[in-house]
């Protein structure tokens, strides 16, 4: 008999064999699940704002009798909120050379973005600490933005540690002392980082 903790964990995050001769059954609830396909292990993530399928570990040595998948990232919104991102860029410029941060959330009911200023507890030229906002019921974290002051826009090893395990878009704004700031964005999928273009 399965240990009740393992039973709960496996129900919350199941692993599914991808059928080779029929459609894969769609996810029923928000969360994530692992998929065993012919070429390895994939993860499927479903949020009110996101449906993504992405490989975790691919292999071609063993012929496994399962179906195939393709990479997929689909957002529920049409485009990133350029007005709110611009607001953050202006705040980051004002805060420079000290780092700055904000969250931008998305309401699954209204389809509206919201600028969530952070309760910053410590900010310096190479560190930013804040209290994570408590979100409303229909609200999801979509964009986690931070700035690098006068440094470039990139994701540091510390950013990688901070973003591991999260499902969100991380954005970094750099060169805040220059006339044109630098921006970098990536989709964070539970430890997988997928570079994506910034807002247009
Ligand atoms: Zn950073």
């Amino acid at each position: 008999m399965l240990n009740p903790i393992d039973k709960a964990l496996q129900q919350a995050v199941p692993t599914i064999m991808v059928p080779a001769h029929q459609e894969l059954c769609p996810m029923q609830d928000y969360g994530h699940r692992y998929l065993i396909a012919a070429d390895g292990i994939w993860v499927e993530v479903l949020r009110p704002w996101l449906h993504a399928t992405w490989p975790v570990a691919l292999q071609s040595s063993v012929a496994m009798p399962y179906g195939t998948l393709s990479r997929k990232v689909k957002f529920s919104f049409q485009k990133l909120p350029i007005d709110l991102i611009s607001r953050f860029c202006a705040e980051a410029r004002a805060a420079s050379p000290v780092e700055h941060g904000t969250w931008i959330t998305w309401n699954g009911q209204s389809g509206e973005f919201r600028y969530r200023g952070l309760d910053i507890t410590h900010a310096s030229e190479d560190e930013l600490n804040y209290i994570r906002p408590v979100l409303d019921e229909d609200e999801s974290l979509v964009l986690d933005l931070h700035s690098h002051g006068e440094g470039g826009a990139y994701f540091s090893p510390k950013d990688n540690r901070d973003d591991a395990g999260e499902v969100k878009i991380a954005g970094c704004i750099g060169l805040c002392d220059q006339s044109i700031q630098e921006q970098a964005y990536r989709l964070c999928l539970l430890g997988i980082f997928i570079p994506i273009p910034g807002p247009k």
Side-chain angles (χ1 to χ4, degrees):
M1 205 173 103
L2 198 57
N3 178 290
I5 299 173
D6 284 321
K7 188 175 178 183
L9 286 170
Q10 292 176 15
Q11 281 176 346
V13 185
T15 297
I16 310 290
M17 291 173 277
V18 178
H21 301 285
Q22 66 181 71
E23 288 291 307
L24 176 67
C25 64
M27 281 184 79
Q28 300 294 320
D29 302 311
Y30 296 129
H32 65 279
R33 64 182 182 179
Y34 294 101
L35 305 169
I36 305 298
D39 61 354
I41 304 170
W42 293 59
V43 67
E44 183 178 14
V45 178
L46 186 63
R47 294 285 190 276
W49 59 280
L50 173 72
H51 186 196
T53 308
W54 207 261
V56 174
L58 296 179
Q59 66 88 32
S60 57
S61 307
V62 178
M64 296 196 290
Y66 307 129
T68 55
L69 297 166
S70 50
R71 288 171 167 82
K72 169 181 173 167
V73 173
K74 189 171 187 322
F75 299 119
S76 303
F77 42 80
Q78 295 295 317
K79 55 183 183 175
L80 292 174
I82 194 162
D83 52 335
L84 301 183
I85 292 171
S86 296
R87 175 178 163 184
F88 177 71
C89 288
E91 287 186 12
R93 188 184 294 283
S96 179
V98 165
E99 292 195 3
H100 190 50
T102 199
W103 279 14
I104 295 173
T105 61
W106 189 74
N107 187 299
Q109 287 294 322
S110 66
E112 289 179 352
F113 287 101
R114 177 179 173 188
Y115 195 91
R116 277 275 195 170
L118 299 176
D119 188 359
I120 292 171
T121 54
H122 170 77
S124 67
E125 291 184 24
D126 55 11
E127 195 169 21
L128 181 74
N129 298 325
Y130 59 86
I131 297 167
R132 291 176 72 92
V134 178
L135 302 185
D136 294 341
E137 196 178 336
D138 297 320
E139 195 179 17
S140 305
L141 167 62
V142 170
L143 265 166
D144 181 346
L145 299 177
H146 75 285
S147 67
H148 278 177
E150 297 174 4
Y154 66 95
F155 295 101
S156 67
K158 181 176 182 300
D159 293 333
N160 291 345
R161 286 194 299 276
D162 290 345
D163 291 344
E166 301 227 45
V167 176
K168 66 186 181 187
I169 296 168
C172 181
I173 312 298
L175 305 184
C176 295
D177 57 329
Q178 311 272 322
S179 56
I180 297 177
Q181 289 162 306
E182 198 171 66
Q183 304 190 20
Y185 294 89
R186 65 182 183 184
L187 175 65
C188 304
L189 277 186
L190 303 162
I192 300 168
F193 301 129
I194 306 165
I196 60 171
K200 294 212 171 59

